[in-house]
Amino acid sequence: MKASKLIATAALSFLAVAAAQAETYEGVHPLTSSASRSEVATQAVATARAGNVYAEGASAGVQTFESKADRSQVRAGAVAKAHDPFGSLDRRAFYRDEVPAAYKKPKVSFTRQAGL
């Protein structure tokens, strides 16, 4: 029993070794640039002196913003949105992207309640 397991393990090992093939190394890719060394050096110096062109927002400091809307209009819109009970509902948060009917009920109730 042990000998058969040992032979089976050895056979599987040889199969695995035979199946594994290493990728061949073809060296460094050939140079395909048409620019000369002096042109590349000139471009490198110009790029180094230009600074970090991708850091416009991070290093710009405080930026001013001029709004076209009136302050009272913005405040009135914010108050209306804050008092809207359905203002924060996003249909994508519900099953099949549809707001349930329970959320669409009118605010006003036409049923009478007993007074105390």
Side-chain angles (χ1 to χ4, degrees):
M1 181 92 167
K2 282 188 176 182
S4 64
K5 285 185 179 179
L6 191 61
I7 291 171
T9 305
L12 285 174
S13 300
F14 285 125
L15 259 165
V17 168
Q21 294 178 354
E23 193 175 308
T24 59
Y25 178 69
E26 297 174 6
V28 180
H29 294 292
L31 183 64
T32 58
S33 176
S34 62
S36 67
R37 271 183 183 252
S38 60
E39 291 172 346
V40 172
T42 308
Q43 291 173 359
V45 169
T47 303
R49 288 185 180 156
N52 189 357
V53 295
Y54 299 109
E56 60 196 32
S59 62
V62 178
Q63 298 179 5
T64 59
F65 174 76
E66 293 199 26
S67 176
K68 308 281 190 252
D70 185 29
R71 184 180 179 92
S72 60
Q73 292 173 342
V74 172
R75 180 168 166 63
V79 169
K81 187 72 168 177
H83 288 8
D84 183 12
F86 305 123
S88 64
L89 284 181
D90 187 2
R91 65 178 182 81
R92 294 175 295 176
F94 296 99
Y95 178 67
R96 293 191 178 168
D97 295 340
E98 186 176 329
V99 178
Y103 289 106
K104 296 179 184 177
K105 289 183 180 176
K107 287 183 183 179
V108 180
S109 176
F110 296 106
T111 59
R112 292 186 178 192
Q113 294 186 2
L116 296 177

